[in-house]
């Protein structure tokens, strides 16, 4: 009689095949599910994308005004803010809410594309 920890005898060929099929049946769906969940799709115009852009532009400081002519989380110039209807929300981008800045940014992006934010949009792979 073998000891408790003795190696089991080698399985016969039919059992080995059954084991491979069973392993594939168990791991196949898990592998597919894991892959699909690992890379969720994010719309380029989602609020999460705007948050990432703002993180790059202003460290997500939606009321940023550093005196360099660019304001708010997405670093608008006053002229761009005015041209794309931002004044309906606030006189200056840094005085508008995050949501209001994103609304204006979507209008800018529709007309100018991601090139309106050249450095950060390239860094984030939006171009």
């Amino acid at each position: 009689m073998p000891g408790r920890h003795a190696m089991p005898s080698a399985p016969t060929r039919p059992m080995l095949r059954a084991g491979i099929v069973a392993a594939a049946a168990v791991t196949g769906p898990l592998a597919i599910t894991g892959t699909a969940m690992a890379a969720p799709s994010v719309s380029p115009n989602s609020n999460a994308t705007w948050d990432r852009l703002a993180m790059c532009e202003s460290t997500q400081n939606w009321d940023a005004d550093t005196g360099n002519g660019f304001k708010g989380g997405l670093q608008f110039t006053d002229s761009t803010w005015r041209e794309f209807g931002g004044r309906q929300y606030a006189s200056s981008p840094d005085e508008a809410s995050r949501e209001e800045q994103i609304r204006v940014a979507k209008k800018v992006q529709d007309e100018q594309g991601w090139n309106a934010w050249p450095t950060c949009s390239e860094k984030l792979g939006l171009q």
Side-chain angles (χ1 to χ4, degrees):
M1 177 170 174
R4 274 179 43 160
H5 299 288
M7 293 289 292
S9 60
T12 62
R13 243 180 153 56
M15 287 179 68
L16 183 60
R17 280 192 205 133
I20 291 171
V21 171
V26 171
T27 60
L30 294 175
I32 291 169
T33 302
T35 302
M37 294 176 74
S41 174
V42 176
S43 167
N45 221 352
S46 73
N47 284 352
T49 300
W50 292 111
D51 285 337
R52 288 176 49 226
L53 187 61
M55 180 58 78
C56 179
E57 290 285 342
S58 68
T59 63
Q60 217 170 33
N61 180 359
W62 295 97
D63 60 350
D65 181 3
T66 59
N68 65 356
F70 297 92
K71 299 176 183 176
L74 297 166
Q75 296 292 278
F76 294 97
T77 61
D78 285 330
S79 62
T80 299
W81 184 251
R82 188 174 42 255
E83 181 182 343
F84 288 90
R87 294 242 173 154
Q88 70 179 325
Y89 305 115
S91 61
S92 182
D94 56 306
E95 297 170 359
S97 71
R98 169 188 170 272
E99 292 77 16
E100 292 164 342
Q101 291 180 48
I102 290 172
R103 279 188 217 126
V104 174
K106 286 179 179 181
K107 292 178 186 177
V108 173
Q109 197 273 335
D110 284 344
E111 188 170 307
Q112 298 179 11
W114 292 111
N115 289 328
W117 302 271
T119 303
C120 287
S121 64
E122 185 175 334
K123 222 185 248 189
L124 297 173
L126 297 171
Q127 293 188 26

